Every structure is written in structure tokens, then in C-alpha cells.
Amino acid sequence: MRICKIGEEILSRQCEPVKPEEIDDSFRAVLNEMFDTMISANGVGLAAPQVGIAKRFFVLMSDDDVKRVFINPEITKTSAETAAYEEGCLSIPGESESIVRPVKVSVTALNENGKRFTIEDADGLLARIIQHENDHLNGVLYIDRGDKDFKESIIEKFKKKAEKAAKKAAEKAAKKASLEAKLAAKKHKGN
Ligand code: GNR
Ligand code: NI
């Protein structure tokens, strides 16, 4: 799966709930692909909108190495205590920022079999990933919770990157077209 990058519209969208009857073998195949994509990219979490699906689910693997699936998650409680932690995002490659969030969260969600589960007072990296991924489902990135100037610089940087990539792709297409035209002319002469 291709991971969407900052600037792509889907990353700012409010995602739609998953209908419980959608949780079948083909849905679980998508979850497996997401775990593969996350692990290949050295990530610890991946939300559906990051792979082009505007629905409310995410996968994660925290420091206990347990693969967890959260479908239609609801954060039901957050601790008053907050902490700063250096966050990265697969949709903002090569960047990171220290972000302040609640230390603990309680969450309820459906698992890959459509069964409800609850985690009370998750803490550490698990609590951090749950909040980061849940934000993705609401079109929120960590830079929206950090320094405003940092956010602006990141948006500019990735806008330029996307423009460069588009220019390169256009040049490549033009080169291919010109080569094809030459070959067609040559063939015409030969005939
Ligand atoms: O791989 C990831 N690392 C990470 C580090 C600190 C806080 C959150 C994360 S999640 C991130 C993968 C990602 O972008 N998930 O949406
Ligand atoms: Ni992310």
C-alpha cells in the first residue's frame, strides 16, 4: 500500500464509521496489508486514511509487540497529567516534533472480529499511539498540535516537494512521448 503524504486531501478528512457488517475476511485482508505496510515503513501505528481509506480504523504495534486493531474507536477518558514526547508520522517522513498530550487514555473499540474491547488507562507509548492514530481519523496531524511556525514550514516544504515530483513526472512523460514519436517516424520511413 502507498502511504499518503501531508498535503493530500484525505489526511484532513473526518473519516466515516465502519459498519459492523463490513468486518469480514476481505476487511481483515486489508488489515493484514496495513500491518505489512506499517512494519515495512518501520512505523508503530497506521490509520486507514494514511492508506487512502477514509474510514474510522487503525492498526498499531506498541513495545509489547502485540498487533492491535481499533475499529470505530472512542477515547472515553484522558488523564489530567500531560507529557511531551517526540512524535513522527509516516505521512510526514523525515520530520518529528515534541508534542504535549495526556499521559493516559481509556479507549473502547471493535477488534478485527467485530468484538468490542476496552483498554482502561493505557499509558506510555501505547497511549501516545492511540491518540496519534485517533487524531488521523478526525483529519488531525501532530503538527496541528505543535508549534504554529513549525507547521507552516512543514507545509511549505512538502508543497515544494510535491511540485518538484510533479515537474519530474511531466518531464518523464514528455521524454517518453518524444521517443515514441521518433520510433513511429522511423517505422514509417522503413515501410
Ligand atoms: O511510527 C510512528 N511513530 C510514532 C512515534 C511517536 C508518536 C506516534 C507515532 S505513530 C507513527 C506512525 C504513524 O504515522 N501513524 O499514524
Ligand atoms: Ni501518523
Side-chain angles (χ1 to χ4, degrees):
M1 290 169 143
R2 186 185 75 86
I3 299 177
C4 300
K5 302 299 177 328
I6 181 171
E8 296 186 52
E9 186 268 331
I10 193 162
L11 293 177
S12 325
R13 256 198 253 173
Q14 183 72 27
C15 296
E16 290 297 322
V18 174
K19 296 183 191 80
E21 62 268 28
E22 283 181 79
I23 307 170
D24 57 8
D25 285 345
S26 71
F27 189 90
R28 284 183 280 274
V30 170
L31 295 172
N32 276 332
E33 268 192 74
M34 283 175 65
F35 275 116
D36 289 345
T37 304
M38 181 192 85
I39 290 162
S40 304
N42 291 315
V44 292
L46 188 66
Q50 292 183 280
V51 291
I53 306 169
K55 290 199 179 156
R56 305 189 73 79
F57 66 98
F58 60 78
V59 301
L60 67 79
M61 201 163 84
S62 189
D63 29 21
D64 59 4
D65 265 23
V66 178
K67 288 180 176 174
R68 287 194 177 88
V69 173
F70 296 73
I71 301 170
N72 298 343
E74 301 285 348
I75 292 177
T76 56
K77 195 169 89 185
T78 55
S79 65
E81 188 193 351
T82 59
Y85 188 87
E86 193 75 15
E87 294 195 22
C89 182
L90 295 175
S91 297
I92 316 174
E95 308 293 338
S96 72
E97 187 184 14
S98 179
I99 301 295
V100 175
R101 295 188 195 262
V103 172
K104 292 184 185 179
V105 296
S106 297
V107 62
T108 180
L110 303 181
N111 70 10
E112 64 277 14
N113 299 312
K115 197 169 151 25
R116 181 159 300 280
F117 70 98
T118 301
I119 305 175
E120 294 285 355
D121 298 321
D123 63 2
L125 183 62
L126 178 61
R128 184 60 61 157
I129 304 167
I130 289 169
Q131 292 175 78
H132 175 113
E133 303 310 337
N134 191 66
D135 270 353
H136 274 300
L137 309 185
N138 297 322
V140 174
L141 300 175
Y142 74 77
I143 57 167
D144 298 316
R145 296 190 177 279
D147 180 78
K148 208 168 147 271
D149 291 335
F150 183 76
K151 176 179 168 176
E152 285 313 312
S153 74
I154 292 291
I155 289 169
E156 269 310 299
K157 190 170 171 177
F158 279 83
K159 207 184 266 172
K160 279 190 189 132
K161 247 185 171 171
E163 280 163 7
K164 253 191 192 156
K167 198 175 157 212
K168 219 174 162 182
E171 279 168 5
K172 204 175 157 190
K175 221 170 170 177
K176 184 168 173 263
S178 129
L179 188 63
E180 277 166 359
K182 259 186 214 158
L183 284 170
K186 205 170 168 185
K187 194 175 165 196
H188 188 74
K189 241 202 254 168
N191 284 345

